[in-house]
Amino acid sequence: MTLEERISNSKTSIFKAVFPNTTNHYDTLFGGTAMHMMDEVAFITATRFSRQIMVTVSSDRIDFKKPIPAGTIVELIGKVSHVGNTSLKVNVEIYIEQMYAEGRELAVHGDFTFVAIDENKKPVQVIK
């Protein structure tokens, strides 16, 4: 399988509803909750790409472009953006959709770096 095919096959998309128990006093999604959801999607993407044990080593810049209100649907999309020797980078975007209207907007995007490790927690090649 080519690198491009691996990247394409590992693209991950998850939809979630934003309920009041995940929002702050402004009735918008907590930033930490958004980051948690993004790291989860990034982890799934990295694991699907490498099919190895992957651990998050950094979140490199997360930009909050729009608030995410309660009562909306969000789509999180993870895609491998860079592959190194023992690490890879995953770009994650969160899009907002109103439940009862057409259209969507990019609300948040960020990059996460993962390292492939063995059973002794030592870095290994991302692609075997």
Side-chain angles (χ1 to χ4, degrees), residues 50 52-54 84-87 114-128:
S50 69
Q52 298 187 79
I53 300 169
M54 301 297 290
N85 189 26
T86 61
S87 66
F114 288 81
V115 170
I117 59 171
D118 64 15
E119 58 279 348
N120 298 313
K121 301 183 178 154
K122 301 289 183 213
V124 296
Q125 297 244 327
V126 170
I127 299 174
K128 288 185 181 181

Side-chain angles (χ1 to χ4, degrees), residues 66-86:
K66 295 196 173 289
I68 301 174
T72 56
I73 298 168
V74 293
E75 180 182 17
L76 295 100
I77 301 171
K79 185 175 179 186
V80 173
S81 59
H82 176 77
V83 179
N85 189 26
T86 61

Side-chain angles (χ1 to χ4, degrees), residues 89-107:
K89 191 170 283 201
V90 177
N91 177 265
V92 179
E93 298 175 324
I94 301 180
Y95 290 89
I96 307 168
E97 295 183 15
Q98 298 302 319
M99 286 194 186
Y100 309 110
E102 294 295 323
R104 59 194 234 147
E105 297 178 276
L106 178 63

Side-chain angles (χ1 to χ4, degrees), residues 6 13 16 20 24 29 35 49 52 55 57-58 72 76 85 96 118:
R6 282 180 87 127
S13 177
K16 292 188 174 275
N24 57 30
L29 186 68
M35 291 173 19
F49 177 87
Q52 298 187 79
V55 293
V57 294
S58 72
T72 56
L76 295 100
N85 189 26
I96 307 168
D118 64 15

